[in-house]
Amino acid sequence: MRYTVKALFAAAGALALGLGLGAPARAEGKTITLCWAAWDPANALVELSKDFTAKTNIAMKFEFVPWTNYADRFLNELNSHGSLCDVIIGDSQWIGGSAENGHYVKLNDFFDKNGIKMDDFMPATVLGYSEWPKNTPNYWALPAMGDAEGWTYRKDWFARPELQAEFKKTYGRDLAVPKTLDELTDIAKFFQGREIDGKKVYGAAIFTERGSEGITMGVSNFLYPYGFQYQDPNKPYAMDGFVNSPDSVKGLEAYKALYDCCTPPGHSNAYMQEDLDAFKSGQVALQMNWFAFFPGLYKDPNVGGDKIGFFVNPGQKTKGSQLGGQGISVVSYSKNQAEALEYIKWFATADVQKKWWALGGYSCAKSVLNDPDFPKTAPFASDFLEAMGQVVDFWAEPSYAQLLLAEQKRVHDYVVAGKGTAKDALDGLVKDWQDVFKEDGKI
């Protein structure tokens, strides 16, 4: 998951100053520092963690850094063996490098000793946030913040009788939540350039940003449903014919078609914030973004409430959504490992996970997500649950930064800059990735 930034690719960037929140509650007790990104779920975690301090007499400090500096700040901290962070909520893609470079404490023995079972968490989150190597019972994090890409739409626009009638006349079906990516594109075309309430609007805000991970995350939401695979399921790192399969080519072509036909003016370098801005300002009918932002959007005074609707990424040949979210780990350079582990133990309990969801965090615990009443707890809850059952993640290899940089360039050059064909882009990506894995000695 997913919120890496362009500064990640610099060998040594200037470190961003974190936002230190929360003075120690009890000076006589121990204090641990939790590091994460600065956003609404982090504020919910501050509130939640007051219960931890009350129970254990261990005070909490928080180092929260804006997403634009998050990866640079904390990867530099880990690579320099710094002890600022006792507990860190790190990107899913950091697992491979953090495990192999010794940045995180391996948690297997601790889990066994304290009765923490990975079977109590959604399988996709264990695979995505906790395991290295993948598909092995080696755990370096507890699933902490579930997330996936989904969509929001202007429910109030969809409900207008005149638009319903026109859409049905044009497409032969109701104007409703799309069941396929083709249907989604039809809806975007229908709204593109239309005037609503005296204002020109557009079809869809999608991810196109090149500098960090944006367009890769966006394209993935089309590639997966078309049948894209990172490698031969029976032969690791054998990518030719999978990454660049005919179906993968169709998926990339479909994403470019959506970009070309139906995005707002100047939407050529857009990621999370730009999509949020486009939707909240009333520019677009559809918006691609992470579920983590949906609680805030639902509360938005202009486009929230009964004006907004939510849906899971539609299928096409199959189903698939890009995984987001992070796991929570104990930093191996921490001087307060015992207290940090106590926090992990507390956070894993069912009652805490239930409150975490209620406050605005995204629990990964089955006790929360599999509760029969869960779909009723929020207007996007059922879609989130469905998305977490169909997520796929990007490479979590130690060399993931090079792998990500390669895809960013290849797909942006094709989708946004219009260079070459989709087949050219994916053939080139296979070569780029093969070069990385050859250098790593894996092929």
Side-chain angles (χ1 to χ4, degrees):
M1 179 345 42
R2 320 316 310 183
Y3 308 110
T4 44
V5 295
K6 60 187 176 183
L8 165 64
F9 304 114
L15 295 182
L17 292 177
L19 176 62
L21 300 178
R26 302 181 186 180
E28 76 276 15
K30 280 272 194 175
T31 299
I32 59 173
T33 299
L34 186 151
C35 298
W36 199 14
W39 60 331
D40 286 348
N43 298 331
L45 192 63
V46 172
E47 184 64 27
L48 181 72
S49 297
K50 292 176 182 177
D51 293 346
F52 172 73
T53 297
K55 180 177 180 179
T56 65
N57 197 31
I58 299 171
M60 299 292 298
K61 289 179 65 178
F62 300 92
E63 192 77 9
F64 294 156
V65 175
W67 281 119
T68 48
N69 303 106
Y70 164 73
D72 186 32
R73 175 67 173 101
F74 293 130
L75 288 176
N76 273 289
E77 178 69 20
L78 293 173
N79 289 331
S80 65
H81 296 189
S83 58
L84 167 69
C85 307
D86 299 300
V87 181
I88 189 167
I89 300 182
D91 189 0
S92 61
Q93 296 170 2
W94 302 359
I95 283 288
S98 294
E100 294 193 9
N101 293 317
H103 299 328
Y104 291 169
V105 172
K106 189 175 182 181
L107 296 172
N108 288 58
D109 290 344
F110 175 76
F111 286 169
D112 290 344
K113 181 179 179 181
N114 290 279
I116 299 171
K117 300 175 181 177
M118 289 294 95
D119 286 345
D120 291 339
F121 294 85
M122 297 295 282
T125 69
V126 175
L127 175 67
Y129 309 150
S130 302
E131 291 181 355
W132 189 262
K134 295 300 181 184
N135 296 302
T136 69
N138 294 281
Y139 306 121
W140 306 88
L142 183 84
M145 176 68 188
D147 204 1
E149 276 185 46
W151 294 82
T152 66
Y153 70 100
R154 285 301 298 267
K155 190 175 181 180
D156 55 334
W157 295 357
F158 277 44
R160 296 191 177 194
E162 70 276 15
L163 296 182
Q164 283 278 349
E166 183 182 344
F167 186 87
K168 190 158 190 175
K169 182 179 179 180
T170 303
Y171 293 101
R173 65 176 188 273
D174 291 336
L175 177 56
V177 168
K179 297 177 182 177
T180 67
L181 293 172
D182 284 348
E183 290 185 4
L184 184 149
T185 301
D186 287 343
I187 293 170
K189 288 179 180 177
F190 178 76
F191 280 101
Q192 183 74 4
R194 182 174 295 276
E195 186 174 297
I196 295 181
D197 297 333
K199 179 179 179 180
K200 189 175 183 179
V201 303
Y202 303 93
I206 62 175
F207 295 162
T208 58
E209 180 264 359
R210 177 171 174 170
S212 62
E213 64 170 16
I215 196 165
T216 296
M217 299 296 97
V219 162
S220 295
N221 253 22
F222 270 58
L223 291 178
Y224 300 152
Y226 271 88
F228 169 96
Q229 292 179 283
Y230 285 100
Q231 57 190 337
D232 184 339
N234 300 311
K235 188 177 180 182
Y237 309 111
M239 298 167 286
D240 197 18
F242 293 86
V243 169
N244 55 348
S245 70
D247 286 333
S248 299
V249 170
K250 290 178 183 177
L252 185 54
E253 289 173 341
Y255 197 77
K256 178 172 174 55
L258 180 61
Y259 170 74
D260 286 342
C261 79
C262 306
T263 52
H267 210 71
S268 60
N269 192 38
Y271 195 19
M272 298 175 285
Q273 190 58 52
E274 290 77 14
D275 278 20
L276 290 170
D277 291 344
F279 191 82
K280 289 163 73 173
S281 64
Q283 287 188 67
V284 293
L286 304 167
Q287 179 214 189
M288 165 189 286
N289 224 312
W290 301 102
F291 272 87
F293 294 107
F294 291 2
L297 284 169
Y298 184 67
K299 296 175 183 176
D300 187 272
N302 298 316
V303 299
D306 57 4
K307 295 180 180 179
I308 192 172
F310 308 90
F311 61 91
V312 70
N313 193 49
Q316 191 66 27
K317 180 180 178 181
T318 183
K319 293 183 177 181
S321 299
Q322 176 58 52
L323 179 70
Q326 304 90 29
I328 185 167
S329 301
V330 175
V331 177
S332 63
Y333 318 115
S334 165
K335 299 175 182 177
N336 303 300
Q337 285 190 24
E339 291 76 18
L341 288 166
E342 190 68 19
Y343 188 87
I344 301 292
K345 178 182 176 181
W346 168 83
F347 187 76
T349 59
D351 287 347
V352 171
Q353 286 295 306
K354 184 177 181 180
K355 188 171 182 179
W356 175 223
W357 168 254
L359 289 173
Y362 276 77
S363 174
C364 304
K366 290 180 181 178
S367 62
V368 175
L369 301 179
N370 290 344
D371 187 309
D373 291 330
F374 178 79
K376 304 174 187 176
T377 59
F380 40 81
S382 61
D383 294 310
F384 173 67
L385 191 60
E386 183 179 350
M388 294 309 291
Q390 65 180 47
V391 287
V392 184
D393 199 13
F394 188 77
W395 298 104
E397 298 280 334
S399 295
Y400 90 92
Q402 294 97 303
L403 300 168
L404 181 58
L405 182 62
E407 183 167 353
Q408 284 287 109
K409 182 180 188 307
R410 293 289 184 180
V411 298
H412 195 278
D413 282 354
Y414 168 67
V415 171
V416 176
K419 296 180 181 178
T421 66
K423 183 69 161 57
D424 294 336
L426 294 177
D427 285 346
L429 184 58
V430 169
K431 182 181 181 302
D432 294 340
W433 285 356
Q434 286 173 338
D435 289 344
V436 173
F437 288 127
K438 284 177 183 176
E439 186 175 342
D440 288 349
K442 295 190 174 181
I443 59 174

